Amino acid sequence: MRLSRIRISKDAVSRIARRLEGELSAWRERSLELAYPHLYLDASYFKVNWGGQVVDLALLVAVGGE
């Protein structure tokens, strides 16, 4: 399989990050109307270029259920 490279400008990344930050803040501050007796957590780790260094970055997913 051949993967093609996609170039995204720094400005585009900043705009996307700002939008996601707003959505994340709204999600964190929402009121919980139901009790969530079960909480499922999972994480995937990715190697990313962070400040010129390749580091492991975790993507954490949390799901509550009844």
Side-chain angles (χ1 to χ4, degrees):
M1 175 182 3
R2 185 167 187 245
L3 300 176
S4 57
R5 291 186 167 220
I6 298 173
R7 292 180 99 35
I8 301 174
S9 71
K10 292 178 183 180
D11 291 336
V13 171
S14 294
R15 283 193 307 274
I16 293 166
R18 277 193 302 273
R19 180 176 172 204
L20 291 175
E21 181 67 30
E23 290 183 25
L24 180 59
S25 293
W27 183 81
R28 283 181 178 162
E29 295 170 7
R30 77 196 187 290
S31 61
L32 297 177
E33 298 174 4
L34 301 172
Y36 294 94
H38 295 78
L39 180 63
Y40 302 95
L41 298 173
D42 194 10
S44 293
Y45 288 85
F46 299 92
K47 292 208 177 286
V48 298
N49 185 330
W50 193 277
Q53 295 182 336
V54 176
V55 298
D56 289 326
L57 181 70
L59 172 65
L60 180 63
V61 177
V63 178
E66 293 187 75

